[in-house]
Amino acid sequence: MTRVSRDFGDTMQKEAVPAVSADVIFASSRFPNYKIGANNQIIDAKEDPKVLTMKEVVARETALLLEQQKRLSVRDLASKFEKGLAAAAKLSEEARLREAASLEKHVLLKKLRDALESLKGRVAGRNKDDVEDAIAMVEALAVQLTQREGELIQEKAEVKKLANFLKQASEDAKRLVDEERAFARAEIEDARAAVQRVEEALQEQEQMSRASGKQDLEELMKEVQEARRIKMLHQPSKVMDMEHELRALRIQLAEKSKHSILLQKELARSKRVEESLSHVYELDGAETLGSYLRIKPCSDIAPELSKCSIQWYRISSEGGKKEPISGASKSVYAPEPFDVGRILQAEINFSGQQIILSTAGAIDPAPGLGNYVEALVRKHDVEFNVVVTQMNGADHPSESIHVLHVGKMRMKLCKGKTTIAKEYYSTSMQLCGVRGGGNAAAQALFWQAKKGFSVVLAFESERERNAAIMLARRFAFDCNIMLAGPDDRASLGT
């Protein structure tokens, strides 16, 4: 075996091994991790199982896009395709970098092989065998690198194909978005035109309703004028007298009608006074939806109402059935939509005696409320500004503005972006006017969204409160739910 001295080794390193070119760019800061197996076969080191190859990444992204294509909206689909296009561009750039790195590896391997061939002629013995083994290893690395380059070219073609596909899909998605946007704008314009037509129809209906009351009078006036024209040809003086008499009779008839209504109310009050034990209380307030009724003492000997037990009832105008109003045990009661067309009665018990007070007639509906509710029914969701005065029976100190949403399927109470309660119409939900309280009872309602959660809400006006109750009951009825107050469903036959 030839012994190589240290001087010879230094000379070999300086002269036999040429320096690597300075303009060679390495793809990484370390040499590839190779292992030599049996028969000097080069084996790649096992890579981290968590790191996916480029093929697997492309296949997984493509599968996810195709799987989500059916359930994504048009806008999200376009966004996904654009992200996929960006990912494909990124993969193409990575493939280009790998190709450049592969070229640099070829240059490096060639220079390394040339250096080993130069070294082979200067050494002998065992060192020469080691150099030959190294040359074989470099050639094996070159072969494997060539194979990897083939795979890289194939991957690059697949990435290019996928990029073209995603680019075309992105353009199709953008075109579809534009078409859907144009279609949506056309639908919005159609909806606006429909709303305008409905508003015009409502205005025309209002004008017709106003004119319908005058139609009979105008026809009568035409007949009178025609009769006057005919009669004046023969007896003009008598026709003029008859016209003046007819006008006077109409004025007298209107006055008698007003006086008759007042007399009927006075007669009803006098009958109630005679039937009761003593006339010490009376009902004060307008008997109309939107107002409130108050039990008012009208005698100095009347006991204090705080020492009396009070119960309000509804009396049907058809069969005279008496229905107690659950929770209405205060001296003030504000009629709600269920009370329209019914007589309200209050029973006052004190010291073993009972006094019964009733309204002079049925509760009248609020003027214009029906048309207002019919206009709101056409909306999918109606918002009302409210203030929470009580929550679960306890006073609520905050007076901040909340929003009550009355929808076709559910009701929701929100404060800003926070949802306090949101429930679908069900048999456990209750809704009615506040049964008791002060002057603001006509503007408040009681809502039990579900068992264990109830609130008392104050509205901006009596009209808003009654409209909210009627609208919610209308939507609940469409869902086969009778929305009423506590213990009201049994009396309503549900």
Side-chain angles (χ1 to χ4, degrees):
M1 179 180 294
T2 305
R3 182 177 180 182
V4 181
S5 64
R6 180 174 300 178
D7 296 337
F8 177 77
D10 295 338
T11 306
M12 179 188 66
Q13 291 180 0
K14 292 181 181 178
E15 298 179 359
V17 181
V20 180
S21 176
D23 54 348
V24 175
I25 302 174
F26 293 95
S28 62
S29 60
R30 62 181 179 86
F31 197 80
N33 189 11
Y34 297 107
K35 291 184 179 180
I36 301 175
N39 299 325
N40 293 327
Q41 294 292 327
I42 299 175
I43 303 175
D44 290 338
K46 293 185 179 180
E47 298 179 353
D48 190 356
K50 295 183 181 178
V51 180
L52 301 177
T53 63
M54 185 166 58
K55 282 186 177 180
E56 293 175 348
V57 171
V58 172
R60 186 179 65 178
E61 290 295 331
T62 306
L64 289 176
L65 285 175
L66 294 176
E67 182 181 359
Q68 295 178 359
Q69 182 178 5
K70 295 183 179 180
R71 57 189 179 89
L72 287 176
S73 65
V74 177
R75 190 182 300 275
D76 294 338
L77 186 60
S79 177
K80 286 290 183 180
F81 275 119
E82 289 177 358
K83 291 181 180 178
L85 186 61
K90 184 177 180 181
L91 291 176
S92 178
E93 182 65 20
E94 291 179 358
R96 188 183 65 80
L97 294 177
R98 289 185 182 182
E99 185 177 0
S102 176
L103 182 61
E104 293 168 1
K105 290 179 182 178
H106 270 293
V107 174
L108 182 61
L109 288 176
K110 185 176 182 303
K111 290 186 177 182
L112 181 59
R113 189 177 181 282
D114 293 342
L116 291 174
E117 288 290 343
S118 175
L119 182 63
K120 181 180 176 181
R122 297 188 181 188
V123 296
R126 185 175 180 181
N127 291 332
K128 186 174 183 180
D129 295 337
D130 292 341
V131 171
E132 290 178 353
D133 291 341
I135 292 173
M137 184 183 301
V138 170
E139 291 177 352
L141 283 175
V143 172
Q144 189 171 7
L145 184 60
T146 304
Q147 295 176 355
R148 293 292 294 271
E149 284 179 357
E151 294 178 358
L152 182 62
I153 293 172
Q154 185 178 1
E155 290 178 357
K156 183 178 179 182
E158 292 178 358
V159 169
K160 186 175 181 181
K161 183 178 179 181
L162 178 62
N164 293 332
F165 170 72
L166 291 176
K167 184 177 181 181
Q168 182 64 31
S170 177
E171 292 176 356
D172 294 341
K174 288 181 179 179
R175 178 177 54 80
L176 186 57
V177 167
D178 294 336
E179 292 177 358
E180 291 295 331
R181 185 180 291 113
F183 181 69
R185 288 175 179 173
E187 286 187 347
I188 290 172
E189 293 297 330
D190 294 341
R192 288 178 179 173
V195 169
Q196 186 175 0
R197 288 196 299 270
V198 170
E199 290 179 353
E200 292 175 356
L202 287 176
Q203 293 176 359
E204 185 178 355
Q205 186 178 1
E206 265 185 36
Q207 293 175 358
M208 290 177 63
S209 62
R210 291 176 183 174
S212 61
K214 302 178 181 179
Q215 185 176 3
D216 296 337
L217 182 59
E218 290 177 356
E219 291 179 356
L220 182 60
M221 290 295 294
K222 289 179 180 179
E223 292 178 0
V224 171
Q225 290 176 0
E226 184 66 22
R228 184 180 62 179
R229 187 183 63 82
I230 295 172
K231 291 294 183 180
M232 284 184 66
L233 297 175
H234 305 284
Q235 294 177 350
S237 59
K238 290 184 178 181
V239 174
M240 295 297 293
D241 294 339
M242 289 176 64
E243 185 178 356
H244 288 299
E245 289 179 2
L246 183 60
R247 190 174 300 171
L249 286 173
R250 286 176 180 170
I251 296 174
Q252 290 179 6
L253 182 60
E255 293 177 354
K256 293 294 183 182
S257 177
K258 293 180 181 179
H259 188 60
S260 174
I261 294 174
L262 294 176
L263 289 177
Q264 287 179 2
K265 290 186 177 181
E266 291 294 334
L267 181 60
R269 290 193 185 96
S270 63
K271 286 182 179 179
R272 290 198 305 270
V273 171
E274 292 175 359
E275 292 174 357
S276 61
L277 297 175
S278 59
H279 186 60
V280 293
Y281 297 105
E282 66 177 0
L283 288 180
D284 183 26
E287 299 174 2
T288 308
L289 181 64
S291 61
Y292 63 91
L293 299 175
R294 180 189 297 274
I295 300 176
K296 178 182 177 182
C298 57
S299 175
D300 296 336
I301 62 173
E304 294 182 5
L305 291 173
S306 59
K307 298 179 181 179
C308 303
S309 63
I310 302 172
Q311 179 61 51
W312 291 81
Y313 295 88
R314 297 188 187 97
I315 300 178
S316 175
S317 58
E318 298 176 356
K321 185 179 178 181
K322 191 175 182 180
E323 304 168 359
I325 304 174
S326 177
S329 58
K330 304 292 183 181
S331 61
V332 176
Y333 178 75
E336 64 163 277
F338 268 155
D339 299 324
V340 174
R342 301 186 183 186
I343 298 173
L344 295 181
Q345 187 180 90
E347 287 187 0
I348 306 171
N349 296 303
F350 63 94
S351 301
Q353 296 181 352
Q354 186 181 73
I355 295 178
I356 299 176
L357 302 176
S358 300
T359 56
I363 299 298
D364 297 326
L369 181 60
N371 294 333
Y372 179 58
V373 174
E374 288 299 327
L376 295 179
V377 167
R378 296 180 177 87
K379 299 181 180 180
H380 182 75
D381 184 83
V382 183
E383 299 180 358
F384 297 94
N385 293 329
V386 297
V387 175
V388 179
T389 59
Q390 288 186 6
M391 184 175 291
N392 294 327
D395 292 338
H396 197 266
S398 176
E399 295 183 358
S400 58
I401 300 297
H402 294 63
V403 178
L404 178 65
H405 297 262
V406 179
K408 291 186 179 293
M409 301 295 294
R410 65 185 181 185
M411 294 179 64
K412 182 172 66 173
L413 180 63
C414 300
K415 180 182 179 183
K417 295 184 179 179
T418 304
T419 300
I420 298 176
K422 180 174 67 174
E423 294 294 331
Y424 289 91
Y425 297 115
S426 62
T427 55
S428 62
M429 184 179 291
Q430 296 179 0
L431 182 71
C432 63
V434 171
R435 297 172 177 178
N439 300 340
Q443 300 180 10
L445 62 78
F446 169 81
W447 178 40
Q448 177 180 301
K450 58 183 179 180
K451 292 183 179 180
F453 181 82
S454 62
V455 290
V456 174
L457 306 176
F459 288 73
E460 295 178 346
S461 64
E462 297 85 354
R463 185 187 187 191
E464 296 289 324
R465 172 254 204 180
N466 293 321
I469 295 176
M470 294 175 66
L471 191 64
R473 288 174 178 171
R474 176 77 171 271
F475 289 154
F477 184 76
D478 293 340
C479 299
N480 296 324
I481 300 295
M482 182 62 70
L483 196 58
D487 302 330
D488 283 348
R489 289 190 175 90
S491 62
L492 292 172
T494 61

